Amino acid sequence: MDSKNSQILSLGIHAAVVISFYALQYVLPEYHLLALTRIMLLAIFALGFNLLFGYTGLLSLGHAMFFAAGMYGAGLTVYHFGWSVPGAFLFGVVCGAILGFVIGMIALRTTGVAFMIVTLMFAKVSYLVIVYFTTYTRGDEGLVMPAEFRGFELLGMSISLTDSVTRYNLALLLLTLTMLIVFLLVRGRFGRALVAIRENESRTRMLGYNTFAIKLKVLTASAALSAMAGSAYALMFAYIGSSFATIQYSIDPLLYTLLGGAGTVLGPVFGTFSMFYLIDIASEYTSAYLLVTGIVLVLLILYFPKGVFGAIRQKYCRWLP
Amino acid sequence: MTTLLTTRQLVKRFGGLNAVAGVDFTLEKGEIHALIGPNGAGKTTFVSLLCGRLEATEGSIFFKGKEITEMPAWKRVRAGIAYTFQITSIYSNLTVFQNAAIAAQHANKPADDAEQRAKTALEKVGLAAYASHEAGSLAYGHQRVLEVAMGIALEPELLILDEPTQGLSDLEIEQFCGLIREINQQTTVLLIEHNMQVVMSLARQISVMDQGLLLAQGTPDEIQANAAVQSAYLGTIDEENVA
Ligand SMILES: Nc1ncnc2c1ncn2[C@@H]1O[C@H](COP(=O)(O)OP(=O)(O)OP(=O)(O)O)[C@@H](O)[C@H]1O
Ligand SMILES: [Mg+2]
């Protein structure tokens, strides 16, 4: 298939996914509407993570800190300074981007296992910082956003975040935007440079690429997207708490990505969806639902090391971004 | 003739070992210059200093009159120095075309014709038919040639080739020599090579390295006549020529 057709087709597939999400809101009961809203926000987180892990080959074990940066950047400004929702949302994203840049300057001096450990440690520090400033953050217990900050005016429309359909559509809008951003980043020249770094960084440097600068850009973008998810999560569900900065929230996007397929755009979305419902269903039957995730992960690595979409791409459509 | 590259008292130490032990070297623009010497002489280390893959311990390097001793490797590549690895270092999971395209979309050149330049490079080395193959699945000889194609795709001023004919068949070597002559129309070539027939047929200048030092430099005839070189390294050359 020539590259033009394949691009149109892959755009079509991605559009179909977005449209099905849109259509689902008319049939889903309230509970699933809420679940899917969360799934879409977590999928944004996973897409941000995957930009770094799947395309560039850098495994961060501390992405919760970027999610939390968005969450606290948005939540604290609303709670303490009474910022409006759009301003707080953007501030959360900027916090994540800045944190990503600063962490990148330090952590990107390492690679492989050292990079994993450094990011893990920084995430731990971020968690401790949140708990340390408990006067402002209320640590573990967290903060609930006051009701008067749950609505806002944008372009003449008044939007209320207490309405579940509104939230759903906003989450879908952000997810679509994220997929588009990732799609644009990973195709063409920039994407090729990322894959080159993933496959053989020293060789890539010897082909004239400033690999450090490229990795720093990607980490910053990845952190900003993760923060966008956290920022939206805080504002839509009106709660921020330190549990979102724990190691579990660093591991989750990795699980979602592995399940769906690292280095694909749809993989993390599919992975988040499946894993979320898998845990949801499993937890109805057993309190040991984490065991289920563990088993899934083991099976995955044994039989689908490239994830569901990775396997599909390898077998049927190599052009899928 | 203008000088393209010079080194002054260049040293690279690995612990106690002087792999490059103070080399003064001059490369003229437009020539094919061969670097020869026994195993472990320091040839790969020396060119690694030139392209920035390794940092010099002492001494300095000048490229087109500018000092580049401290310049990071990726900048030297953009300045026009390309290096192909002795140990094949291609992206084995990617297609042959992608390998060439990664090299061709070099930031100095206009972006839009990168794919075209990748194709041209593959055509030059005769790999165009394999463009959509996974690079790791190619035969060894083809992988070596792909390595060279990536160097060509960079469109460098100086192309450094580290034992490019290692593992190639006689026919492939012959084609390779033709390719190097063609590349040499636009590009200065610094060639590390053990195959003396290749060296004698291609090189206008030869430098001989031994134990981290430049032993001699001259035209192929001068080198063959040089007694010191004979005893250190070239003892085999006459036998080869006779054979
Ligand atoms: N990274 C390194 N660390 C330590 N010693 C090294 C390193 N690289 C090379 N050496 C040593 O430096 C010396 C020169 O090695 P080099 O690879 O430059 O030789 P060469 O002339 O390219 O040999 P060959 O013809 O076998 O490729 C050798 O003794 C080698 O063992
Ligand atoms: Mg060598």
Side-chain angles (χ1 to χ4, degrees), chain A residues 188-190 192-193 195-211 314 318, chain B residues 51 53 73-74 77-78 83 85 89-91 93-94 101-103 105-106 111 115 134 147 150 154:
Chain A
R189 287 164 53 97
F190 191 69
R192 198 179 274 146
V195 171
I197 291 175
R198 179 186 75 198
E199 295 294 322
N200 188 343
E201 184 176 351
S202 59
R203 181 58 166 136
T204 307
R205 218 177 291 128
M206 292 313 300
L207 290 172
Y209 292 83
N210 183 355
T211 56
Q314 196 169 30
R318 304 201 65 122
Chain B
C51 68
R53 208 163 65 95
W74 64 269
V77 178
R78 291 190 186 187
Y83 171 72
F85 285 65
S89 174
I90 54 176
Y91 304 97
N93 293 325
L94 306 181
I102 290 168
Q105 71 173 37
H106 189 253
E115 316 226 312
E134 199 167 284
E147 181 81 47
M150 290 161 79
L154 287 168

Side-chain angles (χ1 to χ4, degrees), chain B:
Chain B
M1 265 202 186
T2 48
T3 302
L4 186 63
L5 180 136
T6 50
T7 70
R8 224 182 275 152
Q9 283 304 306
L10 202 59
V11 175
K12 179 66 187 180
R13 257 192 291 278
F14 293 117
L17 173 79
N18 281 0
V20 174
V23 170
D24 289 310
F25 175 78
T26 306
L27 188 66
E28 301 296 337
K29 195 173 162 72
E31 69 184 354
I32 298 180
H33 195 124
L35 188 58
I36 63 174
N39 290 112
K43 305 179 296 293
T44 297
T45 308
F46 175 68
V47 297
S48 295
L49 297 174
L50 302 185
C51 68
R53 208 163 65 95
L54 293 174
E55 262 179 67
T57 315
E58 281 166 30
S60 39
I61 309 166
F62 298 85
F63 183 63
K64 295 198 283 183
K66 276 198 213 102
E67 173 149 19
I68 58 164
T69 319
E70 308 273 310
M71 194 186 266
W74 64 269
K75 271 195 189 164
R76 297 190 204 192
V77 178
R78 291 190 186 187
I81 302 177
Y83 171 72
T84 69
F85 285 65
Q86 173 171 12
I87 299 156
T88 309
S89 174
I90 54 176
Y91 304 97
S92 27
N93 293 325
L94 306 181
T95 65
V96 169
F97 176 75
Q98 279 172 321
N99 271 271
I102 290 168
Q105 71 173 37
H106 189 253
N108 270 349
K109 303 275 155 52
D112 10 328
D113 65 344
E115 316 226 312
Q116 190 51 49
R117 279 184 287 120
K119 273 193 200 126
T120 313
L122 290 178
E123 276 159 17
K124 269 193 191 156
V125 301
L127 279 182
Y130 297 91
S132 61
H133 287 53
E134 199 167 284
S137 73
L138 293 183
Y140 179 76
H142 284 153
Q143 295 194 15
R144 296 289 315 164
V145 175
L146 176 57
E147 181 81 47
V148 176
M150 290 161 79
I152 297 174
L154 287 168
E155 296 184 4
E157 284 186 59
L158 168 60
L159 179 60
I160 301 172
L161 299 161
D162 197 345
E163 296 192 27
T165 65
Q166 205 177 38
L168 296 193
S169 70
D170 286 350
L171 179 66
E172 286 170 327
I173 289 179
E174 206 170 293
Q175 289 168 342
F176 174 80
C177 287
L179 175 65
I180 294 303
R181 284 195 194 93
E182 194 191 323
I183 295 170
N184 183 236
Q185 318 254 306
Q186 298 100 34
T187 309
T188 309
V189 177
L190 177 59
L191 176 74
I192 299 179
E193 186 55 69
H194 277 301
N195 183 324
M196 276 307 140
Q197 252 130 28
V198 173
V199 171
M200 291 304 163
S201 93
L202 283 177
R204 218 170 301 157
Q205 282 286 312
I206 299 178
S207 294
V208 186
M209 240 183 134
D210 190 26
Q211 298 184 23
L213 287 168
L214 270 192
L215 210 61
Q217 180 164 354
T219 63
D221 290 341
E222 287 165 1
I223 293 299
Q224 263 177 312
N226 187 315
V229 175
Q230 292 284 345
S231 64
Y233 175 62
L234 289 177
T236 56
I237 196 167
D238 293 275
E239 291 155 40
E240 260 180 39
N241 282 351
V242 169

